[in-house]
Amino acid sequence: MDLTFAFAVLLGRPDFPAGSYDAYYGGDTLDEFLLPAPWLTPAALASSAPVALPAVDACYLDDDHQALAWEFDLADSLFAVEWADDVLPAAFLEDVRALDTDMLVRGADLGELLTRHGLDLTARSAKRLNYHISALLRLATDGTLHDAMRMATFTHRLPALASFAPGGMRRVEEGWETALAEVEPPQLRDHLRLHCLEPFWSRDAGACYLGADEWPTGTTVLNGRRKLLAGWEFGEAQSGVAVVG
Protein backbone atom coordinates (compact mmCIF):
# COMPACT_ATOMS: atom_id res chain seq x y z
CA MET A 1 0.00 0.00 0.00
CA ASP A 2 1.59 3.26 -1.16
CA LEU A 3 1.41 6.00 1.46
CA THR A 4 3.21 8.70 -0.51
CA PHE A 5 0.14 10.45 -1.91
CA ALA A 6 -1.72 10.31 1.40
CA PHE A 7 1.20 11.88 3.26
CA ALA A 8 1.56 14.55 0.58
CA VAL A 9 -2.08 15.48 1.15
CA LEU A 10 -1.62 15.73 4.91
CA LEU A 11 1.62 17.70 4.65
CA GLY A 12 0.38 19.96 1.84
CA ARG A 13 3.52 19.29 -0.18
CA PRO A 14 4.35 16.79 -2.94
CA ASP A 15 7.98 16.20 -2.01
CA PHE A 16 9.71 14.40 0.83
CA PRO A 17 12.94 16.33 1.30
CA ALA A 18 16.08 14.67 2.56
CA GLY A 19 17.20 15.45 6.08
CA SER A 20 16.64 14.27 9.63
CA TYR A 21 13.05 13.99 10.86
CA ASP A 22 11.55 12.66 14.07
CA ALA A 23 8.18 11.97 15.63
CA TYR A 24 7.71 12.59 19.36
CA TYR A 25 4.90 11.68 21.73
CA GLY A 26 4.14 13.54 24.96
CA GLY A 27 1.24 14.62 27.09
CA ASP A 28 -0.29 15.53 30.41
CA THR A 29 -1.28 11.96 31.22
CA LEU A 30 2.22 10.69 30.54
CA ASP A 31 3.72 13.37 32.79
CA GLU A 32 1.27 12.63 35.60
CA PHE A 33 1.81 8.88 35.67
CA LEU A 34 5.33 8.55 34.28
CA LEU A 35 7.05 7.51 37.51
CA PRO A 36 7.91 5.09 38.89
CA ALA A 37 8.70 3.44 35.56
CA PRO A 38 10.28 -0.03 35.49
CA TRP A 39 11.45 0.68 31.93
CA LEU A 40 13.42 3.84 32.81
CA THR A 41 16.70 2.21 33.79
CA PRO A 42 20.13 3.53 32.72
CA ALA A 43 20.60 0.43 30.55
CA ALA A 44 17.26 0.94 28.77
CA LEU A 45 17.97 4.65 28.28
CA ALA A 46 21.30 3.81 26.65
CA SER A 47 19.63 1.81 23.89
CA SER A 48 18.09 3.02 20.63
CA ALA A 49 16.60 -0.41 19.95
CA PRO A 50 12.82 -0.10 19.48
CA VAL A 51 10.93 -1.01 22.63
CA ALA A 52 7.24 -1.34 23.40
CA LEU A 53 6.10 0.21 26.66
CA PRO A 54 2.88 -1.47 27.84
CA ALA A 55 2.65 0.78 30.89
CA VAL A 56 2.44 3.82 28.61
CA ASP A 57 -0.12 2.45 26.17
CA ALA A 58 -3.13 3.58 28.20
CA CYS A 59 -2.02 7.17 27.78
CA TYR A 60 -2.84 7.31 24.09
CA LEU A 61 -4.33 4.08 22.79
CA ASP A 62 -8.09 3.66 22.49
CA ASP A 63 -9.98 0.66 21.18
CA ASP A 64 -9.23 1.72 17.60
CA HIS A 65 -5.48 1.43 18.15
CA GLN A 66 -4.95 -1.62 20.32
CA ALA A 67 -3.36 -3.53 17.43
CA LEU A 68 -1.32 -0.55 16.25
CA ALA A 69 0.90 0.09 19.27
CA TRP A 70 4.01 2.24 18.91
CA GLU A 71 7.59 1.37 19.76
CA PHE A 72 10.01 3.95 21.12
CA ASP A 73 13.68 4.88 20.93
CA LEU A 74 14.56 5.71 24.53
CA ALA A 75 18.14 6.84 23.94
CA ASP A 76 17.01 9.68 21.68
CA SER A 77 13.83 10.48 23.60
CA LEU A 78 13.92 13.78 25.46
CA PHE A 79 13.43 14.42 29.16
CA ALA A 80 12.65 17.82 30.64
CA VAL A 81 13.98 18.29 34.16
CA GLU A 82 12.58 20.97 36.43
CA TRP A 83 14.92 22.82 38.77
CA ALA A 84 13.47 21.40 41.99
CA ASP A 85 16.26 21.02 44.52
CA ASP A 86 13.76 20.06 47.20
CA VAL A 87 13.21 16.70 45.47
CA LEU A 88 16.27 16.33 43.20
CA PRO A 89 19.95 16.57 44.21
CA ALA A 90 21.47 19.95 43.40
CA ALA A 91 24.51 18.27 41.86
CA PHE A 92 22.26 16.29 39.51
CA LEU A 93 20.43 19.45 38.50
CA GLU A 94 23.72 21.26 37.83
CA ASP A 95 24.88 18.42 35.58
CA VAL A 96 21.59 18.52 33.67
CA ARG A 97 21.90 22.27 33.16
CA ALA A 98 25.51 21.84 32.01
CA LEU A 99 24.23 19.59 29.22
CA ASP A 100 21.40 21.92 28.21
CA THR A 101 20.56 25.34 29.62
CA ASP A 102 16.86 24.61 29.16
CA MET A 103 17.35 21.30 31.01
CA LEU A 104 16.04 19.17 28.14
CA VAL A 105 18.28 16.13 27.76
CA ARG A 106 18.45 12.95 25.69
CA GLY A 107 17.56 9.69 27.33
CA ALA A 108 21.11 8.37 26.92
CA ASP A 109 22.48 11.38 28.80
CA LEU A 110 19.82 11.11 31.50
CA GLY A 111 20.75 7.47 32.03
CA GLU A 112 24.38 8.39 32.66
CA LEU A 113 23.37 11.06 35.16
CA LEU A 114 21.04 8.69 37.00
CA THR A 115 23.94 6.30 37.50
CA ARG A 116 26.34 9.06 38.50
CA HIS A 117 24.00 10.45 41.14
CA GLY A 118 22.43 7.21 42.34
CA LEU A 119 18.88 8.05 41.25
CA ASP A 120 16.41 5.23 40.61
CA LEU A 121 13.34 6.06 38.52
CA THR A 122 12.03 2.52 38.95
CA ALA A 123 11.71 2.79 42.73
CA ARG A 124 8.39 3.56 44.40
CA SER A 125 9.93 6.72 45.85
CA ALA A 126 10.30 8.10 42.30
CA LYS A 127 6.58 8.89 42.28
CA ARG A 128 7.35 12.25 43.92
CA LEU A 129 9.36 13.21 40.82
CA ASN A 130 6.32 13.23 38.51
CA TYR A 131 6.08 16.62 36.77
CA HIS A 132 9.68 17.30 37.86
CA ILE A 133 10.98 14.87 35.20
CA SER A 134 8.80 14.79 32.08
CA ALA A 135 9.18 12.61 29.00
CA LEU A 136 8.93 13.40 25.31
CA LEU A 137 9.21 9.95 23.78
CA ARG A 138 10.76 9.53 20.34
CA LEU A 139 8.89 7.07 18.16
CA ALA A 140 11.25 4.50 16.69
CA THR A 141 11.82 5.61 13.10
CA ASP A 142 14.64 5.54 10.55
CA GLY A 143 14.99 9.34 10.54
CA THR A 144 13.15 9.99 7.27
CA LEU A 145 10.06 12.16 6.91
CA HIS A 146 8.15 9.26 5.37
CA ASP A 147 8.85 6.99 8.32
CA ALA A 148 8.04 9.71 10.87
CA MET A 149 4.67 10.21 9.16
CA ARG A 150 4.14 6.46 8.98
CA MET A 151 4.56 6.17 12.74
CA ALA A 152 2.62 9.31 13.63
CA THR A 153 -0.38 8.21 11.56
CA PHE A 154 -0.37 4.64 12.89
CA THR A 155 0.19 3.28 9.38
CA HIS A 156 3.39 1.48 10.44
CA ARG A 157 1.71 -1.92 10.80
CA LEU A 158 0.14 -2.25 7.36
CA PRO A 159 -2.04 -3.93 6.32
CA ALA A 160 -3.49 -3.41 9.82
CA LEU A 161 -5.50 -0.18 9.97
CA ALA A 162 -8.09 1.31 12.29
CA SER A 163 -11.65 1.15 11.01
CA PHE A 164 -13.98 4.12 10.74
CA ALA A 165 -17.19 3.02 12.40
CA PRO A 166 -20.36 3.75 10.42
CA GLY A 167 -22.90 6.19 11.75
CA GLY A 168 -22.81 9.81 12.83
CA MET A 169 -20.74 9.52 16.00
CA ARG A 170 -17.46 10.56 14.36
CA ARG A 171 -17.24 13.70 12.29
CA VAL A 172 -14.26 14.55 10.14
CA GLU A 173 -13.07 18.15 9.83
CA GLU A 174 -14.72 19.42 6.65
CA GLY A 175 -11.50 20.52 4.98
CA TRP A 176 -9.80 17.18 5.60
CA GLU A 177 -12.86 15.24 4.49
CA THR A 178 -12.48 16.93 1.13
CA ALA A 179 -8.68 16.69 0.98
CA LEU A 180 -8.62 12.97 1.75
CA ALA A 181 -11.39 12.08 -0.71
CA GLU A 182 -8.92 10.96 -3.37
CA VAL A 183 -6.80 8.76 -1.11
CA GLU A 184 -6.96 5.10 -2.04
CA PRO A 185 -7.73 2.41 -1.03
CA PRO A 186 -10.85 3.21 1.00
CA GLN A 187 -9.47 1.44 4.09
CA LEU A 188 -6.48 3.81 4.16
CA ARG A 189 -8.71 6.82 3.53
CA ASP A 190 -11.00 5.86 6.43
CA HIS A 191 -8.02 5.26 8.73
CA LEU A 192 -6.69 8.75 8.01
CA ARG A 193 -10.17 10.28 8.31
CA LEU A 194 -10.26 8.84 11.83
CA HIS A 195 -7.16 10.92 12.57
CA CYS A 196 -8.70 14.13 11.22
CA LEU A 197 -11.80 14.33 13.42
CA GLU A 198 -13.37 17.50 14.74
CA PRO A 199 -12.04 18.17 18.27
CA PHE A 200 -15.31 17.26 19.98
CA TRP A 201 -15.50 13.89 18.26
CA SER A 202 -11.83 13.00 18.79
CA ARG A 203 -12.16 13.01 22.58
CA ASP A 204 -12.61 9.23 22.81
CA ALA A 205 -11.59 8.02 19.36
CA GLY A 206 -9.03 8.71 16.69
CA ALA A 207 -7.29 12.05 16.76
CA CYS A 208 -7.58 15.72 15.84
CA TYR A 209 -5.12 16.83 13.15
CA LEU A 210 -3.44 20.17 13.83
CA GLY A 211 -1.21 20.23 10.77
CA ALA A 212 1.80 22.52 11.16
CA ASP A 213 -0.21 25.33 12.77
CA GLU A 214 -0.19 24.33 16.44
CA TRP A 215 2.13 22.32 18.66
CA PRO A 216 0.28 19.34 20.14
CA THR A 217 -0.04 18.95 23.89
CA GLY A 218 3.17 17.64 25.41
CA THR A 219 5.47 18.70 22.57
CA THR A 220 5.75 22.48 23.01
CA VAL A 221 9.27 22.22 24.46
CA LEU A 222 10.42 21.64 20.88
CA ASN A 223 9.13 25.02 19.77
CA GLY A 224 12.17 27.06 18.75
CA ARG A 225 14.36 23.96 18.54
CA ARG A 226 12.71 22.03 15.72
CA LYS A 227 10.34 22.82 12.86
CA LEU A 228 6.82 21.42 13.19
CA LEU A 229 5.55 19.68 10.07
CA ALA A 230 2.52 17.83 11.39
CA GLY A 231 0.82 17.28 14.72
CA TRP A 232 -2.08 15.33 16.20
CA GLU A 233 -3.84 15.52 19.57
CA PHE A 234 -5.61 12.67 21.36
CA GLY A 235 -8.47 12.66 23.84
CA GLU A 236 -9.39 16.02 25.34
CA ALA A 237 -6.04 17.46 24.24
CA GLN A 238 -4.38 15.24 26.85
CA SER A 239 -1.54 14.07 24.66
CA GLY A 240 -0.11 14.54 21.19
CA VAL A 241 2.41 13.49 18.60
CA ALA A 242 4.53 15.88 16.54
CA VAL A 243 6.48 15.25 13.35
CA VAL A 244 9.45 17.60 13.29
CA GLY A 245 12.38 18.47 11.06
Side-chain angles (χ1 to χ4, degrees):
M1 191 178 297
D2 186 6
L3 299 170
T4 305
F5 176 72
F7 292 166
V9 170
L10 290 170
L11 292 168
R13 59 187 303 166
D15 61 323
F16 289 81
S20 179
Y21 298 88
D22 299 296
Y24 289 97
Y25 167 77
D28 295 338
T29 313
L30 178 61
D31 290 345
E32 182 178 0
F33 300 108
L34 177 65
L35 302 172
W39 47 274
L40 276 181
T41 64
L45 288 167
S47 176
S48 292
V51 293
L53 306 176
V56 179
D57 287 356
C59 297
Y60 61 87
L61 290 182
D62 53 33
D63 291 343
D64 295 306
H65 295 94
Q66 288 299 324
L68 304 174
W70 282 326
E71 292 183 321
F72 299 95
D73 162 14
L74 294 183
D76 288 312
S77 292
L78 297 172
F79 293 83
V81 181
E82 180 189 36
W83 188 275
D85 54 12
D86 57 330
V87 293
L88 285 163
F92 169 79
L93 296 171
E94 289 285 4
D95 282 351
V96 171
R97 187 162 59 183
L99 287 172
D100 185 271
T101 55
D102 294 326
M103 304 186 73
L104 183 67
V105 297
R106 292 175 60 244
D109 294 326
L110 177 64
E112 291 181 5
L113 295 183
L114 294 176
T115 299
R116 183 185 306 170
H117 295 278
L119 297 176
D120 184 0
L121 300 185
T122 72
R124 183 176 300 179
S125 59
K127 184 175 182 179
R128 67 195 182 110
L129 301 180
N130 281 321
Y131 291 114
H132 299 301
I133 296 179
S134 302
L136 186 57
L137 300 177
R138 182 185 183 274
L139 279 61
T141 73
D142 63 10
T144 64
L145 178 55
H146 187 277
D147 206 39
M149 288 292 293
R150 194 170 66 96
M151 291 295 293
T153 58
F154 292 95
T155 53
H156 60 294
R157 295 187 183 274
L158 291 176
L161 292 168
S163 61
F164 195 100
M169 298 304 294
R170 297 176 180 178
R171 296 180 186 173
V172 182
E173 286 276 7
E174 184 177 352
W176 290 112
E177 184 77 90
T178 301
L180 293 169
E182 296 183 18
V183 171
E184 295 288 348
Q187 295 92 332
L188 175 60
R189 179 169 62 249
D190 283 347
H191 174 95
L192 295 177
R193 290 173 67 231
L194 185 67
H195 296 85
C196 294
L197 299 179
E198 294 178 356
F200 178 86
W201 300 101
S202 66
R203 294 182 303 168
D204 60 0
C208 176
Y209 185 38
L210 305 177
D213 299 325
E214 180 182 349
W215 286 92
T217 297
T219 68
T220 55
V221 293
L222 295 175
N223 191 5
R225 289 174 173 255
R226 304 290 295 270
K227 179 181 179 181
L228 177 65
L229 282 82
W232 285 263
E233 281 189 336
F234 308 101
E236 296 180 347
Q238 294 160 305
S239 61
V241 61
V243 174
V244 298

